Amino acid sequence: MLTLYFSRGSCALASMIALEESGLDHQARPLDFSRTEQQSPEYLAINPKGRVPALVTDQGVITETPAILAYVAQLAPEARLAPLDDPFEFAHMQAINSYLCSTVHVNHAHSRRGYRWADDTAAHEAMRAKVTQNMTDCFRLIEANMFRGPWVMGENFSVADPYLFTVSGWLKGDGVDIDQFVHISDHRARMLERPAVQRALATEKMTLSAA
Ligand SMILES: N[C@@H](CCC(=O)N[C@@H](CS)C(=O)NCC(=O)O)C(=O)O
């Protein structure tokens, strides 16, 4: 049994959708960020980073969204959630997931988590002021150079789709009008039709606090 630690509105949604798509036996355990449960001794024993997602497996704990997504895809090959038999295509998918993780997510985090990079509140405000432009630039690049359509990787759905769906869900809060990205908007609409996405969103909704 796999156990995914998540919080509402967080990047853990991507892993939750991937698990739902995979058909693997799993359970989702919410953390309440408003009560800083991610810093509780119990959770830090699971993930010393104090972040979600964390996936508890029989072999140990996996953190970092791209690693969890690749693991889920490999553990459930019959669900066809990644181009497992094509090293170049797999690397291409990983490049997209890494970009979402290390660039897009980090740009987004400057809206509310500026304290990670500076103590000065004026600096937090200066970082926040860059978020709309930085997120717009990232999604321009994704729409024009990464997204193949109808799914991220082209004809085949992959774990890059729940990740893009999760991160594009932050655009409105970051002051970016998603309608300017025709393919990304269309992708969101098609993702919302998938039963696995609906189940993951329902699980999120049942939890109390937002990330
Ligand atoms: N690189 C990590 C980022 C994890 C991360 O920062 N998660 C956020 C939620 S989206 C979190 O747990 N924040 C809690 C905190 O900063 O206290 C990943 O992609 O899994």
Side-chain angles (χ1 to χ4, degrees):
M1 164 76 89
L2 298 165
T3 301
L4 179 74
Y5 286 85
F6 75 100
S7 74
R8 209 179 85 190
S10 79
C11 59
L13 177 64
S15 300
M16 196 156 26
I17 294 172
L19 283 166
E20 287 293 336
E21 294 277 358
S22 74
L24 293 167
D25 195 16
H26 68 279
Q27 60 180 353
R29 298 275 295 270
L31 291 180
D32 187 346
F33 278 7
S34 71
R35 295 168 55 201
T36 51
E37 281 180 354
Q38 73 272 33
Q39 293 297 338
S40 68
E42 294 78 14
Y43 186 64
L44 290 176
I46 294 164
N47 182 6
K49 293 173 183 168
R51 306 270 183 100
V52 295
L55 185 68
V56 181
T57 80
D58 288 347
Q59 289 170 274
V61 179
I62 305 174
T63 60
E64 300 300 323
T65 302
I68 293 173
L69 294 178
Y71 175 77
V72 169
Q74 287 175 315
L75 207 58
E78 62 290 345
R80 300 168 70 85
L81 295 173
L84 298 175
D85 49 9
D86 186 330
F88 181 85
E89 284 296 290
F90 192 81
H92 179 71
M93 185 192 80
Q94 292 294 78
I96 294 170
N97 287 345
S98 300
Y99 182 69
L100 291 171
C101 181
S102 60
T103 300
V104 190
H105 187 168
V106 174
N107 281 340
H108 164 77
H110 281 72
S111 60
R112 291 172 49 203
R113 304 278 190 197
Y115 58 81
R116 286 181 191 159
W117 296 283
D119 294 324
D120 178 4
T121 52
H124 300 167
E125 197 43 56
M127 285 184 228
R128 207 171 293 125
K130 293 286 287 179
V131 170
T132 301
Q133 189 57 55
N134 283 340
M135 291 297 276
T136 302
D137 291 347
C138 286
F139 272 83
R140 255 191 212 129
L141 190 83
I142 292 169
E143 170 111 336
N145 301 100
M146 296 183 185
F147 187 86
R148 289 173 174 166
W151 303 110
V152 173
M153 292 289 290
E155 290 305 318
N156 297 323
F157 184 89
S158 75
V159 288
D161 290 293
Y163 204 3
L164 180 65
F165 173 78
T166 298
V167 176
S168 68
W170 298 337
L171 287 176
K172 194 172 172 198
D174 287 341
V176 181
D177 178 11
I178 194 172
D179 290 345
Q180 67 190 293
F181 306 115
V182 178
H183 300 308
I184 309 286
S185 301
D186 180 54
H187 180 256
R188 282 197 70 72
R190 253 171 311 103
M191 283 295 288
L192 284 166
E193 288 169 6
R194 296 179 76 90
V197 175
Q198 292 165 9
R199 285 196 300 275
L201 290 174
T203 301
E204 258 205 337
K205 233 183 207 158
M206 286 185 313
T207 66
L208 290 174
S209 77

